[in-house]
Amino acid sequence: MDFVVQIIILALIAAFLGYKLYSVLGRRAEHEEETLGRLPPPSQSRDASALPARDRAQPTGEQTAPSAMERAMSAVAPGARRAVQEIAAADRTFEPARFIEGARSAYGMILEAFWQGDKETLQELCDDGVYESFAAAIDARVEAGEVVSNRLIRIEQAEITAADFSAPMAHLTVRFLADIAAMTHDRDGAMIAGSLDDAVESDDVWTFSRRVDAAAPNWLLESTDAA
């Protein structure tokens, strides 16, 4: 009988100790779960600047994306980039890529105006010296009774090859590689030069200029040459 009583007492003691152990560990576990539940996931809580160098390093072979300046300079020859950057610093509206687009348009408009004898358009797009040369060539062509039927087929390439900035004047030289179909007739309509069936590759070097402090954004053609 005493043996049975001892077993019952030991069982009660074990139950009591088990209850106390649960009350301590169980609450601690619940507290840790609540604390972890309030923490952000590791990817949000780790600051990249605090990572070890090996964690910040890019995987082998991964290429960094080109910067905005590198993309802007893609159509600028290396030797002209410093002056182009100086122009961009002096004129916040200047962007090399946008300038190239405008130069391509101007190239086509000026050639078309010259072929058609449109002096008004030429005067708007060229400085006085270039305009006078174009106008003289048009007058000579008219006097000779010649009519041109040229057509710009495509501009293969346009690149800023040289630049100069002497405040406030900016000068940019662009090399154009283009295909042009050309044909000239005399006053009687007979073809005297060229062919509209065969395009001729044209390699032109044009220089544009602008005062960076001017209100008007227009660049004027100041010289033409052949490469």
Side-chain angles (χ1 to χ4, degrees), residues 116-137:
Q116 295 181 0
D118 183 356
K119 294 182 180 180
E120 183 177 352
T121 297
L122 291 173
Q123 197 164 25
E124 293 176 356
L125 299 176
C126 306
D127 72 2
D128 292 341
V130 175
Y131 168 73
E132 290 173 1
S133 297
F134 278 135

Side-chain angles (χ1 to χ4, degrees), residues 105-121:
S105 297
Y107 181 75
M109 292 175 63
I110 291 172
L111 287 180
E112 192 68 28
F114 175 65
W115 295 333
Q116 295 181 0
D118 183 356
K119 294 182 180 180
E120 183 177 352
T121 297

Side-chain angles (χ1 to χ4, degrees), residues 3-172:
F3 178 75
V4 174
V5 172
Q6 291 178 359
I7 292 176
I8 293 173
I9 291 173
L10 291 174
L12 290 173
I13 292 173
F16 177 76
L17 293 175
Y19 171 77
K20 295 296 291 181
L21 186 62
Y22 171 79
S23 64
V24 174
L25 297 179
R27 290 178 181 176
R28 181 179 177 184
E30 291 174 358
H31 175 70
E32 290 177 353
E33 288 180 0
E34 292 175 358
T35 301
L36 290 174
R38 292 194 296 269
L39 290 176
S43 61
Q44 298 178 9
S45 62
R46 296 177 72 188
D47 184 357
S49 63
L51 293 177
R54 63 177 181 273
D55 291 340
R56 294 197 304 267
Q58 297 179 352
T60 303
E62 182 177 340
Q63 299 295 325
T64 58
S67 65
M69 181 56 70
E70 289 173 339
R71 293 193 299 270
M73 291 295 177
S74 61
V76 181
R81 291 180 181 179
R82 181 174 180 178
V84 167
Q85 290 174 342
E86 292 176 353
I87 295 171
D91 181 4
R92 296 299 182 181
T93 65
F94 172 77
E95 295 179 4
R98 184 179 298 176
F99 170 81
I100 284 293
E101 290 181 7
R104 292 170 71 99
S105 297
Y107 181 75
M109 292 175 63
I110 291 172
L111 287 180
E112 192 68 28
F114 175 65
W115 295 333
Q116 295 181 0
D118 183 356
K119 294 182 180 180
E120 183 177 352
T121 297
L122 291 173
Q123 197 164 25
E124 293 176 356
L125 299 176
C126 306
D127 72 2
D128 292 341
V130 175
Y131 168 73
E132 290 173 1
S133 297
F134 278 135
I138 291 173
D139 292 340
R141 192 173 65 210
V142 171
E143 185 177 354
E146 297 176 351
V147 177
V148 296
S149 302
N150 296 359
R151 179 164 52 93
L152 176 62
I153 298 176
R154 69 180 65 86
I155 299 175
E156 298 284 357
Q157 180 182 348
E159 180 186 30
I160 298 175
T161 57
D164 177 71
F165 180 56
S166 300
M169 290 301 302
H171 306 268
L172 292 173

